[in-house]
Amino acid sequence: MKKLSLFFVLILVVCPLQAAQLIRGPYIEDPTQTTMVLRWQTDEATPSWLEYGPVPRCNQIMTLTPEATQHKAILYGLVPNQDFCYRIYVNNTAGDGVQEPVEGSFRTLYSAERKVVNFLALGATGADIPLPLPDGTPVPDEAAQARTQLAALMAQENADFLIHTGNLTHSGLNEDADREFFEPFRPVLAKTPLFVALGPNEYGPDRENRDSKSFLRSNYSRYHDMSWSNATPKYYSFDTANTRFIFLDTNVAEGAVWGPEIAENSAQVKWLKSMLSSAGEKWKIVVMNAPAYSTGTRGPNNEVALNLIEIFENYGVKLVLQGGDANYERTFPMFRGEPNPRGVTYVTLGTAAPTPQKRTQSDSSTARFVAARHYASGKIVDRKLTLKVYNNLGKELDTVEIYQ
């Protein structure tokens, strides 16, 4: 049991003691070269103490979050290209100290002169608990097992951040987020900043109804911090090293009436063109949920394809990470509807939990298709990008190399 330092004693004089447990997190979001956001949740209202510093000096700086159940600490004054470690403390049950800390780490984003980026990516972590058979026999929860397996594999990776292609939960409800996302992926989220491209589930089951306006904020926005833009968390971008990542919200094409438009003169498309044109010689990688190319059960989203494919091609996007279909799929580099070395590679990261679906059609665009739960590990070194994809048992499903 960790005894209180003088700092903790002084704090506890004015903060009433009450034991609490961390029930969500910690998880890390909105990294920049000089800032980071840490979030966690406790089962009872309590103050929390966060100490952090550059590895290995984890106790260099200490900050306090006020008494609450939802805790958020914004760390300022960090330096680029640096690994940091942290510890979070809450009061113990005896009332004479704090519990053993919850520990984690993170890495700030890289400055422009760096030429190396490491990232993880996955999609669709949401799947409901399977119903028992008619005779009452329980059905194994294969999705829960796969989440645990994938998280264990991903936790071994040394990644700068984690990309999610959307649909954190099957329902979009915050009440399902712990079981389907935060708890199984806890070891990954405690050390890997998260970026999310919104999926249709984030807009809720009634997303086609105008009365659903508050769903996204009530169940998603209040618990997450993505990089700033005029439309965060719907669409945004960030730069790290020699790469610009652009996250789009394509959910209007999935019936979400409160999703931003993707038509030619829409605010989102104008913003997209601006982000692409100002990226210069950087790698340009787009993340979105609805697939522009797909031979899976649902197939391509025609509205997305019509409005976005030509933009990606004209502005030099090299890779699009997408969701939508419950499978893994990679296209050949595509340009004007045909395989072409100068084109855009589309990678569907469509299921970490939902039951994988088989291919339902053939198309000349498809280079690789696997019906399996999976995650991807990406590495950019200067002008070469390597993406490796693994299933939940650690078997390599695919490797692709892309050159700028």
Side-chain angles (χ1 to χ4, degrees), residues 217-385:
R217 174 168 179 77
S218 298
N219 293 280
Y220 176 85
S221 301
R222 65 182 296 187
Y223 304 104
H224 294 279
D225 294 271
M226 298 295 118
S227 300
W228 185 88
S229 80
N230 288 332
T232 302
K234 297 183 177 182
Y235 54 88
Y236 59 93
S237 70
F238 71 92
D239 293 353
T240 183
N242 59 343
T243 307
R244 175 164 292 178
F245 289 84
I246 298 174
F247 288 70
L248 299 180
D249 185 338
T250 54
N251 293 294
V252 67
E254 299 285 352
V257 296
W258 293 107
E261 295 292 334
I262 58 173
E264 181 179 359
N265 293 317
S266 65
Q268 180 170 206
V269 167
K270 290 179 180 179
W271 172 87
L272 169 63
K273 292 179 179 179
S274 174
M275 291 297 100
L276 290 172
S277 63
S278 64
E281 297 300 313
K282 292 179 181 291
W283 283 88
K284 305 174 187 73
I285 298 175
V286 171
V287 187
M288 61 188 188
N289 182 263
Y293 283 90
S294 175
T295 60
T297 303
R298 300 181 62 204
N301 186 296
N302 292 330
E303 184 177 350
V304 168
L306 177 65
N307 286 287
L308 299 180
I309 283 179
E310 188 171 341
I311 295 173
F312 298 158
E313 294 172 355
N314 291 345
Y315 284 86
V317 174
K318 300 303 292 185
L319 174 65
V320 174
L321 301 177
Q322 54 188 21
D325 260 315
N327 53 255
Y328 169 73
E329 184 170 8
R330 171 175 59 85
T331 70
F332 294 105
M334 298 299 295
F335 188 83
R336 302 300 189 252
E338 299 291 338
N340 188 311
R342 66 180 289 194
V344 184
T345 300
Y346 296 80
V347 173
T348 298
L349 302 173
T351 179
T355 302
Q357 301 297 308
K358 295 182 179 180
R359 193 179 186 193
T360 60
Q361 54 189 305
S362 62
D363 191 88
S364 62
S365 64
T366 304
R368 180 72 167 146
F369 185 104
V370 184
R373 298 177 175 95
H374 57 273
Y375 80 96
S377 176
K379 186 179 186 69
I380 297 172
V381 180
D382 199 10
R383 294 185 176 275
K384 177 182 176 181
L385 185 157

Side-chain angles (χ1 to χ4, degrees), residues 193-231:
L194 172 68
F195 293 99
V196 180
L198 296 180
N201 291 4
E202 274 70 70
Y203 281 90
D206 298 321
R207 55 186 170 273
E208 298 179 358
N209 189 325
R210 297 194 67 82
D211 292 339
S212 66
K213 184 176 183 179
S214 64
F215 187 94
L216 180 68
R217 174 168 179 77
S218 298
N219 293 280
Y220 176 85
S221 301
R222 65 182 296 187
Y223 304 104
H224 294 279
D225 294 271
M226 298 295 118
S227 300
W228 185 88
S229 80
N230 288 332

